[in-house]
Amino acid sequence: MNRSVLMVVVALMSGCATLKSAAGGDLKGAAANAQKMAAAIAAANKQGDEDAKKCPKEDGIIPIQEEKEIGGSVVVGLTQTVKAPYFVEGNPDLPDISTKPSEVQVKMGGKNDLTAYVAKLGKSLASASARPELPWVFAVLEHPDVNAFSAPGGYVVVTTGLLARVKNEAQLAGILGHEIGHVVNRDTVKTYASVKHNICVVAMKGAAFIKAGIGDSAPAEVRKYADLSGEFDKPVDGTANPDSGLSKLINTLTDGVIDFKQKFGSGKEAEFAADKAALELMISTGYEPTEFDSFLQIVEQSRQGFPNHPSNVDRLKALTALRNGEFQPFLAGATNKPELPENIKALIPALPAGK
Amino acid sequence: MKQTLKGAVTGLALFGASTAFAINPGDPLYIKSKDTKVLKTATATGTAVVTLQPGTEVQWQGVDKSDPKFHKVKSGAKEGFVMMANLSMKKPQDEVASDGKPILGHAVASSGAATRALSRSGQNYANSKGPEAKVAGQQVVLVEGINFQANKDSEPAAAGKKKKGGK
């Protein structure tokens, strides 16, 4: 919500109180009330603007620890948007949510081998990226649609529907490389910084209205954000208690990021940049780079994408241009396109009829 | 986020086939692997002229004609051959600590930020959004465990130390 919208909403609501007075016949009193209210609104607006100057910048740098914190909540939120059973897994008893990875009792074999295969391939690609030290985690989501997404801090998720359409390991390397590119380029982190800034601005304005005693005039949504106004300068470093204001803020920001990403994706430039990263990682690790193009051509064009995403035609053109230009001297030796291992292929659920 | 591998909109003239930039001799490349050896000859068993660390800038001189997987580079006064897999066109990124100071890439592992596990915020989020979110959170933890098992040998140093100490 932008500030001008907020001001209009608040002004309209306070205007209603004035009209009530007028309806009661006390025109002088109503005029005086209106003047008072207008002055109070002006002062609160001014104070809100002043306080909002302390908000985190829209394009501010997010520390690695904060990225990792928000990455955890974003990956949970995004996963939850898909229906259970979520990740392909063969453990009937799920671990406690606070279990350390080294202490998780993993029963390898069966479906977990599919995740392990993707994790190994992903890790080898991520190690060649510009952020090799992130705690990369690769997951397989049980869903028939062709989809892949990433979350800050190094989470990369692909669906079984996507794996079922992949023809070889080079194609999978391209897809994972694309998502690694989004993480390396901090695309969702940038969205988070922007969401944090915008919610902070609204929260400061709302808090100023409440402080001025005219908070009841503000919409409930604004009052809700106002409660978070004291949390924005606290470090997001993994120390927030579940019931704390900071935890509420992080949840609110996570919802904001997920909402934005689901509506708008990452944008054209971010998609081209992620494709470029994919190509570089494929070449670095010896995979045949044209296989990424082949996968883009395999996936059906009919499915609706994001309005601000580039078309596959333009993506393919860009990939060709990179291979003919910037990456041309590095192509020698990048020719591997092994089949997916037979035991891995056998673990990928067949596509439902008609898919 | 549904970053589908398909899009819907007409695209960018910026990336026309004739506008891509090719690399030229003297242009910078960056070392991306630890202890990368710059070799005297373009063979994996060649003698090292110098050993470089991630992020070090080198000047690209060209592709070796006998084995195009090797690229001739210059680092200061020294010249030699490096495998493509150890080179990047983009400088590895430094991370930023909570105090705003940069953490060099290789120090991230010991900063705690590289320790794999569902973050506290992720746990709080999963616990506060109902039973389905909690299951999603638990599944993320399971996947983290599978990733740990799959890549045990390449865990960051910090994770290894913790394990040895039994903490």
Side-chain angles (χ1 to χ4, degrees):
Chain A
M1 184 183 317
N2 69 35
R3 274 185 280 178
S4 54
V5 173
L6 171 64
M7 286 163 65
V8 168
V9 170
V10 173
L12 281 173
M13 294 188 75
S14 57
C16 291
T18 307
L19 288 173
K20 266 186 209 164
S21 258
D26 181 5
L27 285 175
K28 247 188 177 178
N33 278 347
Q35 267 186 346
K36 258 190 200 173
M37 185 58 85
I41 287 171
N45 267 323
K46 200 177 167 192
Q47 186 61 52
D49 286 342
E50 195 56 37
D51 293 343
K53 287 179 186 166
K54 295 175 212 152
C55 283
K57 294 202 176 354
E58 190 158 16
D59 57 354
I61 292 167
I62 301 297
I64 175 68
Q65 193 66 47
E66 185 167 358
E67 178 178 347
K68 197 185 160 210
E69 282 299 313
I70 199 74
S73 52
V74 167
V75 77
V76 170
L78 284 170
T79 302
Q80 198 209 339
T81 60
V82 180
K83 281 200 163 194
Y86 310 124
F87 295 110
V88 169
E89 51 85 21
N91 292 47
D93 300 319
L94 288 170
D96 182 83
I97 206 161
S98 60
T99 312
K100 289 177 184 165
S102 58
E103 291 162 6
V104 173
Q105 298 296 313
V106 179
K107 201 174 84 186
M108 293 310 289
K111 286 181 172 182
N112 285 346
D113 282 358
L114 182 57
T115 302
Y117 166 73
V118 174
K120 275 187 186 169
L121 175 59
K123 176 84 177 178
S124 72
L125 290 159
S127 297
S129 78
R131 299 182 80 188
E133 306 287 355
L134 283 184
W136 293 93
V137 174
F138 297 85
V140 179
L141 198 58
E142 186 133 20
H143 200 282
D145 281 358
V146 177
N147 205 352
F149 62 81
S150 58
Y155 288 100
V156 172
V157 179
V158 294
T159 59
T160 49
L162 182 148
L163 291 175
R165 289 166 173 90
V166 160
K167 300 288 180 213
N168 57 48
E169 197 171 271
Q171 292 186 2
L172 182 54
I175 294 149
L176 295 175
H178 176 94
E179 295 306 325
I180 289 168
H182 278 303
V183 176
V184 167
N185 297 335
R186 297 179 168 87
D187 291 328
T188 304
V189 178
K190 287 172 195 164
T191 302
Y192 166 74
S194 173
V195 167
K196 191 174 185 181
H197 168 82
N198 286 307
I199 290 183
C200 179
V201 168
V202 175
M204 293 303 175
K205 187 76 87 175
F209 272 71
I210 289 170
K211 206 172 171 188
I214 52 174
D216 288 348
S217 308
E221 189 73 1
V222 175
R223 288 202 303 273
K224 183 181 83 179
Y225 288 149
D227 292 343
L228 302 172
S229 62
E231 307 297 332
F232 287 90
D233 56 352
K234 292 180 181 168
V236 180
D237 57 3
T239 55
N241 289 320
D243 298 325
S244 63
L246 181 57
S247 191
K248 282 176 194 154
L249 171 63
I250 295 166
N251 289 355
T252 301
L253 297 175
T254 300
D255 289 340
V257 168
I258 292 169
D259 189 45
F260 184 91
K261 285 289 176 184
Q262 287 193 310
K263 282 179 184 147
F264 305 109
S266 294
K268 246 185 232 178
E269 283 182 28
E271 293 305 321
F272 281 125
D275 281 351
K276 185 178 177 182
L279 210 56
E280 184 175 353
L281 292 179
M282 290 177 83
I283 293 167
S284 277
T285 47
Y287 288 108
E288 170 56 58
T290 54
E291 284 301 309
F292 186 43
D293 305 39
S294 302
F295 182 77
L296 291 177
Q297 285 164 330
I298 288 169
V299 292
E300 77 271 33
Q301 295 286 326
S302 58
R303 201 177 133 190
Q304 198 186 350
F306 293 109
N308 60 349
H309 266 202
S311 70
N312 271 9
V313 172
D314 289 322
R315 291 176 71 182
L316 292 168
K317 268 188 204 164
L319 288 166
T320 305
L322 285 167
R323 281 194 303 273
N324 291 340
E326 198 174 336
F327 290 160
Q328 201 280 330
F330 306 103
L331 296 177
T335 52
N336 294 335
K337 44 176 181 178
E339 292 259 316
L340 297 184
E342 286 304 321
N343 65 320
I344 296 302
K345 274 200 249 179
L347 294 169
I348 300 169
L351 291 171
K355 281 275 179 181
Chain B
M1 157 163 34
K2 296 202 176 167
Q3 281 163 352
T4 61
L5 291 158
K6 297 149 279 177
V9 165
T10 53
L12 229 52
L14 181 68
F15 287 91
S18 61
T19 56
F21 298 98
I23 188 166
N24 293 305
D27 284 352
L29 290 178
Y30 301 92
I31 299 295
K32 68 179 175 196
S33 311
K34 277 179 200 165
D35 301 327
T36 293
K37 289 180 171 50
V38 179
L39 303 163
K40 204 170 177 181
T41 53
T43 53
T45 51
T47 317
V49 175
V50 64
T51 302
L52 301 175
Q53 297 307 323
T56 308
E57 184 181 315
V58 294
Q59 276 75 47
W60 185 74
Q61 303 293 303
V63 186
D64 182 63
K65 282 174 188 157
S66 57
D67 186 348
K69 285 201 291 294
F70 282 92
H71 291 254
K72 192 170 189 185
V73 299
K74 199 171 177 184
S75 173
K78 299 190 170 170
E79 269 188 357
F81 297 89
V82 174
M83 284 190 84
M84 174 55 203
N86 298 321
L87 291 168
S88 172
M89 283 167 232
K90 221 172 166 185
K91 191 174 183 180
Q93 295 173 20
D94 289 341
E95 303 294 345
V96 177
S98 301
D99 60 6
K101 290 180 183 164
I103 311 176
L104 293 174
H106 61 270
V108 173
S110 51
S111 72
T115 308
R116 198 179 278 149
L118 182 59
S119 66
R120 179 83 173 264
S121 300
Q123 294 175 34
N124 290 345
Y125 186 85
N127 283 326
S128 68
K129 295 280 179 179
E132 286 200 3
K134 193 172 178 186
V135 171
Q138 286 177 294
Q139 294 226 8
V140 172
V141 173
L142 174 63
V143 165
E144 300 236 18
I146 298 170
N147 274 254
F148 181 84
Q149 291 288 333
N151 292 306
K152 239 184 202 171
D153 299 335
S154 55
E155 279 303 291
K161 271 180 204 163
K162 273 185 186 172
K163 208 183 158 194
K164 274 181 193 168
K167 288 176 187 176

PDB file of all heavy atoms in Angstrom, chain A residues 15-48:
ATOM      1  N   GLY A  15     -13.208  12.056   8.007  1.00  0.00           N
ATOM      2  CA  GLY A  15     -14.269  12.884   7.445  1.00  0.00           C
ATOM      3  C   GLY A  15     -15.640  12.360   7.815  1.00  0.00           C
ATOM      4  O   GLY A  15     -16.565  13.134   8.046  1.00  0.00           O
ATOM      5  N   CYS A  16     -15.780  11.061   7.950  1.00  0.00           N
ATOM      6  CA  CYS A  16     -17.068  10.461   8.336  1.00  0.00           C
ATOM      7  C   CYS A  16     -17.501  10.951   9.718  1.00  0.00           C
ATOM      8  O   CYS A  16     -18.676  11.240   9.953  1.00  0.00           O
ATOM      9  CB  CYS A  16     -16.965   8.940   8.341  1.00  0.00           C
ATOM     10  SG  CYS A  16     -16.785   8.275   6.687  1.00  0.00           S
ATOM     11  N   ALA A  17     -16.548  11.083  10.635  1.00  0.00           N
ATOM     12  CA  ALA A  17     -16.863  11.546  11.984  1.00  0.00           C
ATOM     13  C   ALA A  17     -17.384  12.978  11.926  1.00  0.00           C
ATOM     14  O   ALA A  17     -18.341  13.358  12.598  1.00  0.00           O
ATOM     15  CB  ALA A  17     -15.612  11.466  12.864  1.00  0.00           C
ATOM     16  N   THR A  18     -16.781  13.759  11.072  1.00  0.00           N
ATOM     17  CA  THR A  18     -17.194  15.151  10.912  1.00  0.00           C
ATOM     18  C   THR A  18     -18.624  15.223  10.365  1.00  0.00           C
ATOM     19  O   THR A  18     -19.449  16.004  10.829  1.00  0.00           O
ATOM     20  CB  THR A  18     -16.226  15.861   9.945  1.00  0.00           C
ATOM     21  OG1 THR A  18     -14.908  15.650  10.423  1.00  0.00           O
ATOM     22  CG2 THR A  18     -16.528  17.333   9.853  1.00  0.00           C
ATOM     23  N   LEU A  19     -18.904  14.387   9.402  1.00  0.00           N
ATOM     24  CA  LEU A  19     -20.249  14.379   8.811  1.00  0.00           C
ATOM     25  C   LEU A  19     -21.306  13.992   9.836  1.00  0.00           C
ATOM     26  O   LEU A  19     -22.395  14.539   9.853  1.00  0.00           O
ATOM     27  CB  LEU A  19     -20.301  13.424   7.616  1.00  0.00           C
ATOM     28  CG  LEU A  19     -19.564  13.919   6.369  1.00  0.00           C
ATOM     29  CD1 LEU A  19     -19.542  12.826   5.316  1.00  0.00           C
ATOM     30  CD2 LEU A  19     -20.224  15.186   5.815  1.00  0.00           C
ATOM     31  N   LYS A  20     -20.937  13.084  10.723  1.00  0.00           N
ATOM     32  CA  LYS A  20     -21.879  12.661  11.768  1.00  0.00           C
ATOM     33  C   LYS A  20     -22.264  13.867  12.621  1.00  0.00           C
ATOM     34  O   LYS A  20     -23.412  14.104  12.950  1.00  0.00           O
ATOM     35  CB  LYS A  20     -21.227  11.599  12.660  1.00  0.00           C
ATOM     36  CG  LYS A  20     -21.517  10.184  12.236  1.00  0.00           C
ATOM     37  CD  LYS A  20     -20.955   9.234  13.278  1.00  0.00           C
ATOM     38  CE  LYS A  20     -20.580   7.918  12.629  1.00  0.00           C
ATOM     39  NZ  LYS A  20     -19.703   7.122  13.491  1.00  0.00           N
ATOM     40  N   SER A  21     -21.254  14.657  12.994  1.00  0.00           N
ATOM     41  CA  SER A  21     -21.497  15.852  13.789  1.00  0.00           C
ATOM     42  C   SER A  21     -22.460  16.791  13.064  1.00  0.00           C
ATOM     43  O   SER A  21     -23.398  17.317  13.624  1.00  0.00           O
ATOM     44  CB  SER A  21     -20.172  16.589  14.015  1.00  0.00           C
ATOM     45  OG  SER A  21     -19.710  16.337  15.282  1.00  0.00           O
ATOM     46  N   ALA A  22     -22.168  16.969  11.768  1.00  0.00           N
ATOM     47  CA  ALA A  22     -22.996  17.879  10.980  1.00  0.00           C
ATOM     48  C   ALA A  22     -24.429  17.387  10.899  1.00  0.00           C
ATOM     49  O   ALA A  22     -25.366  18.167  10.983  1.00  0.00           O
ATOM     50  CB  ALA A  22     -22.410  18.012   9.586  1.00  0.00           C
ATOM     51  N   ALA A  23     -24.579  16.089  10.769  1.00  0.00           N
ATOM     52  CA  ALA A  23     -25.919  15.509  10.693  1.00  0.00           C
ATOM     53  C   ALA A  23     -26.692  15.775  11.968  1.00  0.00           C
ATOM     54  O   ALA A  23     -27.904  15.897  11.962  1.00  0.00           O
ATOM     55  CB  ALA A  23     -25.817  14.013  10.426  1.00  0.00           C
ATOM     56  N   GLY A  24     -25.951  15.890  13.083  1.00  0.00           N
ATOM     57  CA  GLY A  24     -26.613  16.164  14.360  1.00  0.00           C
ATOM     58  C   GLY A  24     -27.011  17.612  14.499  1.00  0.00           C
ATOM     59  O   GLY A  24     -27.603  18.002  15.506  1.00  0.00           O
ATOM     60  N   GLY A  25     -26.674  18.477  13.540  1.00  0.00           N
ATOM     61  CA  GLY A  25     -27.138  19.855  13.565  1.00  0.00           C
ATOM     62  C   GLY A  25     -26.137  20.845  14.107  1.00  0.00           C
ATOM     63  O   GLY A  25     -26.331  22.052  13.988  1.00  0.00           O
ATOM     64  N   ASP A  26     -25.012  20.368  14.719  1.00  0.00           N
ATOM     65  CA  ASP A  26     -24.051  21.282  15.309  1.00  0.00           C
ATOM     66  C   ASP A  26     -22.986  21.622  14.262  1.00  0.00           C
ATOM     67  O   ASP A  26     -21.878  21.107  14.270  1.00  0.00           O
ATOM     68  CB  ASP A  26     -23.427  20.606  16.542  1.00  0.00           C
ATOM     69  CG  ASP A  26     -22.435  21.528  17.227  1.00  0.00           C
ATOM     70  OD1 ASP A  26     -22.316  22.696  16.792  1.00  0.00           O
ATOM     71  OD2 ASP A  26     -21.781  21.061  18.166  1.00  0.00           O
ATOM     72  N   LEU A  27     -23.341  22.536  13.367  1.00  0.00           N
ATOM     73  CA  LEU A  27     -22.447  22.836  12.248  1.00  0.00           C
ATOM     74  C   LEU A  27     -21.148  23.488  12.704  1.00  0.00           C
ATOM     75  O   LEU A  27     -20.072  23.197  12.177  1.00  0.00           O
ATOM     76  CB  LEU A  27     -23.159  23.736  11.248  1.00  0.00           C
ATOM     77  CG  LEU A  27     -24.211  23.032  10.389  1.00  0.00           C
ATOM     78  CD1 LEU A  27     -24.953  24.039   9.517  1.00  0.00           C
ATOM     79  CD2 LEU A  27     -23.584  21.959   9.509  1.00  0.00           C
ATOM     80  N   LYS A  28     -21.263  24.393  13.695  1.00  0.00           N
ATOM     81  CA  LYS A  28     -20.067  25.070  14.187  1.00  0.00           C
ATOM     82  C   LYS A  28     -19.095  24.068  14.789  1.00  0.00           C
ATOM     83  O   LYS A  28     -17.892  24.085  14.540  1.00  0.00           O
ATOM     84  CB  LYS A  28     -20.460  26.096  15.265  1.00  0.00           C
ATOM     85  CG  LYS A  28     -20.235  27.505  14.844  1.00  0.00           C
ATOM     86  CD  LYS A  28     -20.472  28.427  16.029  1.00  0.00           C
ATOM     87  CE  LYS A  28     -20.164  29.847  15.642  1.00  0.00           C
ATOM     88  NZ  LYS A  28     -20.426  30.747  16.769  1.00  0.00           N
ATOM     89  N   GLY A  29     -19.717  23.196  15.627  1.00  0.00           N
ATOM     90  CA  GLY A  29     -18.900  22.150  16.286  1.00  0.00           C
ATOM     91  C   GLY A  29     -18.278  21.235  15.272  1.00  0.00           C
ATOM     92  O   GLY A  29     -17.114  20.846  15.393  1.00  0.00           O
ATOM     93  N   ALA A  30     -19.046  20.912  14.239  1.00  0.00           N
ATOM     94  CA  ALA A  30     -18.529  20.012  13.213  1.00  0.00           C
ATOM     95  C   ALA A  30     -17.351  20.652  12.491  1.00  0.00           C
ATOM     96  O   ALA A  30     -16.344  19.999  12.215  1.00  0.00           O
ATOM     97  CB  ALA A  30     -19.635  19.696  12.201  1.00  0.00           C
ATOM     98  N   ALA A  31     -17.480  21.930  12.209  1.00  0.00           N
ATOM     99  CA  ALA A  31     -16.392  22.642  11.522  1.00  0.00           C
ATOM    100  C   ALA A  31     -15.142  22.651  12.389  1.00  0.00           C
ATOM    101  O   ALA A  31     -14.027  22.432  11.889  1.00  0.00           O
ATOM    102  CB  ALA A  31     -16.825  24.064  11.195  1.00  0.00           C
ATOM    103  N   ALA A  32     -15.341  22.918  13.672  1.00  0.00           N
ATOM    104  CA  ALA A  32     -14.189  22.953  14.588  1.00  0.00           C
ATOM    105  C   ALA A  32     -13.530  21.575  14.661  1.00  0.00           C
ATOM    106  O   ALA A  32     -12.304  21.456  14.639  1.00  0.00           O
ATOM    107  CB  ALA A  32     -14.636  23.399  15.976  1.00  0.00           C
ATOM    108  N   ASN A  33     -14.387  20.539  14.755  1.00  0.00           N
ATOM    109  CA  ASN A  33     -13.857  19.158  14.802  1.00  0.00           C
ATOM    110  C   ASN A  33     -13.064  18.826  13.554  1.00  0.00           C
ATOM    111  O   ASN A  33     -12.010  18.202  13.617  1.00  0.00           O
ATOM    112  CB  ASN A  33     -15.009  18.156  14.912  1.00  0.00           C
ATOM    113  CG  ASN A  33     -15.477  18.029  16.349  1.00  0.00           C
ATOM    114  OD1 ASN A  33     -14.789  18.498  17.261  1.00  0.00           O
ATOM    115  ND2 ASN A  33     -16.632  17.426  16.528  1.00  0.00           N
ATOM    116  N   ALA A  34     -13.624  19.258  12.423  1.00  0.00           N
ATOM    117  CA  ALA A  34     -12.961  18.967  11.150  1.00  0.00           C
ATOM    118  C   ALA A  34     -11.600  19.627  11.100  1.00  0.00           C
ATOM    119  O   ALA A  34     -10.619  19.042  10.641  1.00  0.00           O
ATOM    120  CB  ALA A  34     -13.832  19.455   9.991  1.00  0.00           C
ATOM    121  N   GLN A  35     -11.557  20.882  11.588  1.00  0.00           N
ATOM    122  CA  GLN A  35     -10.280  21.616  11.600  1.00  0.00           C
ATOM    123  C   GLN A  35      -9.264  20.907  12.494  1.00  0.00           C
ATOM    124  O   GLN A  35      -8.111  20.721  12.128  1.00  0.00           O
ATOM    125  CB  GLN A  35     -10.504  23.035  12.121  1.00  0.00           C
ATOM    126  CG  GLN A  35     -10.751  24.010  10.989  1.00  0.00           C
ATOM    127  CD  GLN A  35     -10.824  25.443  11.454  1.00  0.00           C
ATOM    128  OE1 GLN A  35     -10.956  25.709  12.654  1.00  0.00           O
ATOM    129  NE2 GLN A  35     -10.753  26.357  10.515  1.00  0.00           N
ATOM    130  N   LYS A  36      -9.763  20.502  13.668  1.00  0.00           N
ATOM    131  CA  LYS A  36      -8.886  19.811  14.637  1.00  0.00           C
ATOM    132  C   LYS A  36      -8.344  18.529  14.033  1.00  0.00           C
ATOM    133  O   LYS A  36      -7.164  18.205  14.133  1.00  0.00           O
ATOM    134  CB  LYS A  36      -9.691  19.447  15.903  1.00  0.00           C
ATOM    135  CG  LYS A  36      -9.467  20.354  17.070  1.00  0.00           C
ATOM    136  CD  LYS A  36     -10.118  19.702  18.273  1.00  0.00           C
ATOM    137  CE  LYS A  36     -10.378  20.691  19.365  1.00  0.00           C
ATOM    138  NZ  LYS A  36     -11.150  20.098  20.453  1.00  0.00           N
ATOM    139  N   MET A  37      -9.270  17.785  13.432  1.00  0.00           N
ATOM    140  CA  MET A  37      -8.892  16.499  12.856  1.00  0.00           C
ATOM    141  C   MET A  37      -7.899  16.686  11.730  1.00  0.00           C
ATOM    142  O   MET A  37      -6.903  15.957  11.605  1.00  0.00           O
ATOM    143  CB  MET A  37     -10.149  15.772  12.364  1.00  0.00           C
ATOM    144  CG  MET A  37      -9.876  14.379  11.847  1.00  0.00           C
ATOM    145  SD  MET A  37      -9.109  13.298  13.061  1.00  0.00           S
ATOM    146  CE  MET A  37     -10.572  12.706  13.918  1.00  0.00           C
ATOM    147  N   ALA A  38      -8.169  17.708  10.898  1.00  0.00           N
ATOM    148  CA  ALA A  38      -7.254  17.973   9.775  1.00  0.00           C
ATOM    149  C   ALA A  38      -5.857  18.300  10.296  1.00  0.00           C
ATOM    150  O   ALA A  38      -4.847  17.839   9.750  1.00  0.00           O
ATOM    151  CB  ALA A  38      -7.792  19.113   8.917  1.00  0.00           C
ATOM    152  N   ALA A  39      -5.820  19.082  11.361  1.00  0.00           N
ATOM    153  CA  ALA A  39      -4.514  19.462  11.932  1.00  0.00           C
ATOM    154  C   ALA A  39      -3.815  18.226  12.510  1.00  0.00           C
ATOM    155  O   ALA A  39      -2.603  18.045  12.334  1.00  0.00           O
ATOM    156  CB  ALA A  39      -4.711  20.521  13.015  1.00  0.00           C
ATOM    157  N   ALA A  40      -4.619  17.390  13.200  1.00  0.00           N
ATOM    158  CA  ALA A  40      -4.034  16.177  13.805  1.00  0.00           C
ATOM    159  C   ALA A  40      -3.504  15.241  12.714  1.00  0.00           C
ATOM    160  O   ALA A  40      -2.418  14.660  12.853  1.00  0.00           O
ATOM    161  CB  ALA A  40      -5.089  15.454  14.647  1.00  0.00           C
ATOM    162  N   ILE A  41      -4.266  15.125  11.627  1.00  0.00           N
ATOM    163  CA  ILE A  41      -3.835  14.257  10.517  1.00  0.00           C
ATOM    164  C   ILE A  41      -2.554  14.797   9.883  1.00  0.00           C
ATOM    165  O   ILE A  41      -1.609  14.050   9.616  1.00  0.00           O
ATOM    166  CB  ILE A  41      -4.964  14.119   9.468  1.00  0.00           C
ATOM    167  CG1 ILE A  41      -6.068  13.222  10.024  1.00  0.00           C
ATOM    168  CG2 ILE A  41      -4.440  13.540   8.148  1.00  0.00           C
ATOM    169  CD1 ILE A  41      -7.332  13.178   9.186  1.00  0.00           C
ATOM    170  N   ALA A  42      -2.523  16.102   9.681  1.00  0.00           N
ATOM    171  CA  ALA A  42      -1.329  16.708   9.071  1.00  0.00           C
ATOM    172  C   ALA A  42      -0.101  16.452   9.950  1.00  0.00           C
ATOM    173  O   ALA A  42       0.971  16.095   9.443  1.00  0.00           O
ATOM    174  CB  ALA A  42      -1.554  18.203   8.869  1.00  0.00           C
ATOM    175  N   ALA A  43      -0.294  16.644  11.277  1.00  0.00           N
ATOM    176  CA  ALA A  43       0.843  16.450  12.192  1.00  0.00           C
ATOM    177  C   ALA A  43       1.284  14.988  12.207  1.00  0.00           C
ATOM    178  O   ALA A  43       2.486  14.686  12.198  1.00  0.00           O
ATOM    179  CB  ALA A  43       0.448  16.909  13.600  1.00  0.00           C
ATOM    180  N   ALA A  44       0.280  14.088  12.228  1.00  0.00           N
ATOM    181  CA  ALA A  44       0.615  12.647  12.260  1.00  0.00           C
ATOM    182  C   ALA A  44       1.307  12.219  10.963  1.00  0.00           C
ATOM    183  O   ALA A  44       2.253  11.442  10.984  1.00  0.00           O
ATOM    184  CB  ALA A  44      -0.654  11.831  12.484  1.00  0.00           C
ATOM    185  N   ASN A  45       0.821  12.774   9.860  1.00  0.00           N
ATOM    186  CA  ASN A  45       1.461  12.464   8.567  1.00  0.00           C
ATOM    187  C   ASN A  45       2.919  12.902   8.572  1.00  0.00           C
ATOM    188  O   ASN A  45       3.806  12.177   8.124  1.00  0.00           O
ATOM    189  CB  ASN A  45       0.732  13.177   7.429  1.00  0.00           C
ATOM    190  CG  ASN A  45      -0.339  12.289   6.819  1.00  0.00           C
ATOM    191  OD1 ASN A  45      -0.164  11.088   6.703  1.00  0.00           O
ATOM    192  ND2 ASN A  45      -1.453  12.892   6.456  1.00  0.00           N
ATOM    193  N   LYS A  46       3.129  14.120   9.093  1.00  0.00           N
ATOM    194  CA  LYS A  46       4.488  14.679   9.120  1.00  0.00           C
ATOM    195  C   LYS A  46       5.393  13.787   9.977  1.00  0.00           C
ATOM    196  O   LYS A  46       6.507  13.457   9.600  1.00  0.00           O
ATOM    197  CB  LYS A  46       4.434  16.105   9.680  1.00  0.00           C
ATOM    198  CG  LYS A  46       5.636  16.921   9.319  1.00  0.00           C
ATOM    199  CD  LYS A  46       5.515  18.345   9.820  1.00  0.00           C
ATOM    200  CE  LYS A  46       6.876  19.027   9.718  1.00  0.00           C
ATOM    201  NZ  LYS A  46       6.891  20.297  10.436  1.00  0.00           N
ATOM    202  N   GLN A  47       4.847  13.426  11.159  1.00  0.00           N
ATOM    203  CA  GLN A  47       5.628  12.577  12.070  1.00  0.00           C
ATOM    204  C   GLN A  47       5.911  11.204  11.431  1.00  0.00           C
ATOM    205  O   GLN A  47       7.021  10.675  11.529  1.00  0.00           O
ATOM    206  CB  GLN A  47       4.863  12.382  13.392  1.00  0.00           C
ATOM    207  CG  GLN A  47       5.663  11.630  14.456  1.00  0.00           C
ATOM    208  CD  GLN A  47       6.944  12.368  14.829  1.00  0.00           C
ATOM    209  OE1 GLN A  47       6.923  13.548  15.152  1.00  0.00           O
ATOM    210  NE2 GLN A  47       8.080  11.666  14.754  1.00  0.00           N
ATOM    211  N   GLY A  48       4.872  10.660  10.776  1.00  0.00           N
ATOM    212  CA  GLY A  48       5.033   9.361  10.113  1.00  0.00           C
ATOM    213  C   GLY A  48       6.106   9.425   9.041  1.00  0.00           C
ATOM    214  O   GLY A  48       6.944   8.524   8.926  1.00  0.00           O
TER     215      GLY A  48
END
